[in-house]
């Protein structure tokens, strides 16, 4: 029941109409009997959107594309990992201050840890954008070594220099082996011109044991389908989304998030 005491949370981004976060967080509030609601705000002008959040008493926000970097200008206190990654995906508003966090890297770590240890493992990460940076931060923090593969070699080189990582161009080096292969690009995503495609050569996939994709539409991407057929361990794109949301919920409510409920809300939808 929404009343005068209902607390307001939400997501700001553009576009946000397909976001699964409202479903995930509202199901969690309901399960724990918390009088709060989580809405999607389609924001193009970040400056205007942020002006009223303290005065309106908004308690927390998720921040998504294209605002994760620019939002940092409006945050009073930025957490160390978010600063290192250079992106904030979570705002917590407390005592008239805006705190900024990044839970994407934590989401990736928790998703990976369901299937593998990270310390001492070798991870090959495809892509060198914002998602890749957050994931590499997590891998590095947990003691995995990293090799970055990217279409633009310059971007791979630049990102690799932060993590003492190796790098190469996409499909340039077939003799790279490792424990974990992670796709952070949109290759294979429904509705893109790479729909149905693999991010790397099919044979390359068997050089690894655990294959993770951050694309969740379709849930079984061509990469994960191929990995599954090869008998490899797979991690679908909803796992990282789920766990970054779980960490947000924990920050906002300081309660143990209802993992099963949040998970069900996502998988039922897809
Ligand atoms: P995100 O924040 O989701 O990581 P991003 O910062 O725009 O998005 O980064 C997208 C990444 O996916 C980049 O590494 C990009 O490669 P380039 O640096 O060469 O542009 C990669 N990417 C996206 N679409 C791709 C495609 N069709 N083929 C190869 N790489 C692609």
């Amino acid at each position: 029941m929404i009343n005068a005491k209902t607390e307001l949370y939400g997501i700001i981004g553009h576009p946000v109409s397909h976001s699964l976060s409202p479903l995930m967080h509202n199901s969690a509030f309901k399960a724990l009997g918390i009088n709060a609601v989580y809405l999607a705000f389609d924001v193009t002008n970040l400056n205007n959107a942020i002006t009223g959040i303290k005065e309106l008493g908004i308690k927390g926000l998720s921040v998504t594309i294209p605002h994760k970097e620019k939002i940092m200008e409006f945050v009073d206190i930025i957490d160390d990992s978010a600063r290192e990654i250079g992106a904030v995906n979570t705002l917590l508003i407390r005592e008239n201050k805006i705190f900024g966090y990044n839970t994407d890297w934590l989401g990736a770590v928790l998703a990976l840890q369901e299937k593998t240890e990270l310390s001492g493992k070798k991870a090959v990460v495809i892509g060198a954008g914002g998602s890749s940076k957050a994931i590499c931060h997590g891998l590095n923090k947990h003691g995995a070594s990293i090799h970055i593969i990217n279409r633009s070699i310059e971007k791979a080189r630049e990102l690799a220099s932060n993590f003492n990582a190796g790098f190469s161009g996409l499909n340039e080096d077939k003799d790279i082996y490792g424990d974990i292969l992670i796709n952070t690009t949109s290759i294979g995503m429904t509705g893109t011109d790479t729909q149905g495609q693999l991010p790397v050569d099919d044979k390359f996939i068997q050089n690894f044991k655990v294959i993770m994709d951050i694309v969740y539409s379709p849930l079984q991407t061509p990469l994960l389908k191929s990995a599954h057929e090869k008998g490899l361990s797979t991690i679908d794109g909803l796992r990282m989304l789920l766990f970054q949301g779980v960490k947000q919920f924990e920050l906002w409510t300081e309660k143990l998030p209802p993992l099963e409920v949040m998970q069900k809300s996502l998988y039922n939808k897809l």
Side-chain angles (χ1 to χ4, degrees):
M1 170 75 164
I2 292 174
N3 58 24
K5 293 207 172 101
T6 304
E7 294 189 331
L8 180 56
Y9 293 84
I11 179 165
I12 54 174
H14 179 73
V16 283
S17 61
H18 295 292
S19 172
L20 297 173
S21 294
L23 203 62
M24 174 167 55
H25 287 297
N26 285 316
S27 66
F29 286 138
K30 191 169 167 212
L32 297 191
I34 297 171
N35 186 3
V37 65
Y38 181 107
L39 300 175
F41 300 106
D42 196 320
V43 169
T44 43
N45 187 319
L46 198 55
N47 204 32
N48 288 350
I50 289 300
T51 305
I53 64 167
K54 289 180 188 171
E55 194 58 27
L56 289 171
I58 292 172
K59 300 290 178 195
L61 289 172
S62 307
V63 184
T64 189
I65 291 164
H67 303 313
K68 287 187 190 186
E69 288 97 23
K70 176 123 174 96
I71 193 71
M72 295 174 85
E73 293 170 25
F74 303 94
V75 174
D76 298 308
I77 297 148
I78 299 177
D79 141 276
D80 287 346
S81 284
R83 191 179 296 284
E84 279 170 38
I85 294 165
V88 160
N89 80 323
T90 310
L91 302 182
L92 170 72
I93 300 98
R94 282 273 164 86
E95 288 157 13
N96 225 30
K97 289 230 162 10
I98 303 178
F99 295 83
Y101 301 90
N102 188 305
T103 67
D104 287 330
W105 71 274
L106 286 164
V109 164
L110 289 171
L112 283 161
Q113 284 175 335
E114 286 189 305
K115 293 282 167 83
T116 176
E117 288 206 1
L118 293 176
S119 179
K121 302 289 180 188
K122 178 173 174 185
V124 170
V125 181
I126 310 161
S131 307
S132 174
K133 193 164 183 189
I135 291 169
C136 288
H137 177 86
L139 290 166
N140 187 50
K141 241 180 143 57
H142 283 79
S145 68
I146 302 167
H147 184 103
I148 297 162
I149 292 179
N150 197 47
R151 178 175 59 184
S152 140
I153 189 94
E154 265 321 304
K155 273 179 77 179
R157 186 201 309 274
E158 198 186 322
L159 187 58
S161 69
N162 294 310
F163 303 107
N164 199 15
F167 63 93
S168 45
L170 199 58
N171 292 323
E172 182 183 82
D173 195 347
K174 309 248 182 299
D175 290 324
I176 303 169
Y177 293 80
D179 302 289
I180 305 162
L181 179 67
I182 307 170
N183 174 46
T184 74
T185 75
S186 56
I187 300 171
M189 191 191 289
T190 309
T192 65
D193 54 9
T194 56
Q195 180 171 333
Q197 292 180 22
L198 290 167
V200 285
D201 204 70
D202 190 51
K203 275 207 189 114
F204 186 70
I205 299 168
Q206 67 208 20
N207 295 0
F208 302 87
K209 299 186 189 94
V210 179
I211 315 292
M212 170 167 159
D213 205 331
I214 70 162
V215 172
Y216 57 79
S217 174
L219 195 54
Q220 193 183 49
T221 59
L223 174 65
L224 295 185
K225 185 166 183 286
S226 171
H228 184 72
E229 284 164 6
K230 292 174 174 55
L232 305 173
S233 184
T234 60
I235 304 169
D236 71 58
L238 282 186
R239 304 313 292 171
M240 179 171 163
L241 180 72
L242 169 67
F243 285 114
Q244 65 77 34
V246 162
K247 284 289 163 190
Q248 292 185 320
F249 192 87
E250 205 173 276
L251 283 166
W252 293 332
T253 64
E254 293 177 10
K255 293 189 190 325
L256 191 67
L259 181 65
E260 292 278 312
V261 170
M262 296 173 83
Q263 173 171 307
K264 235 187 208 163
S265 74
L266 293 179
Y267 285 88
N268 282 351
K269 180 69 185 173
L270 291 190

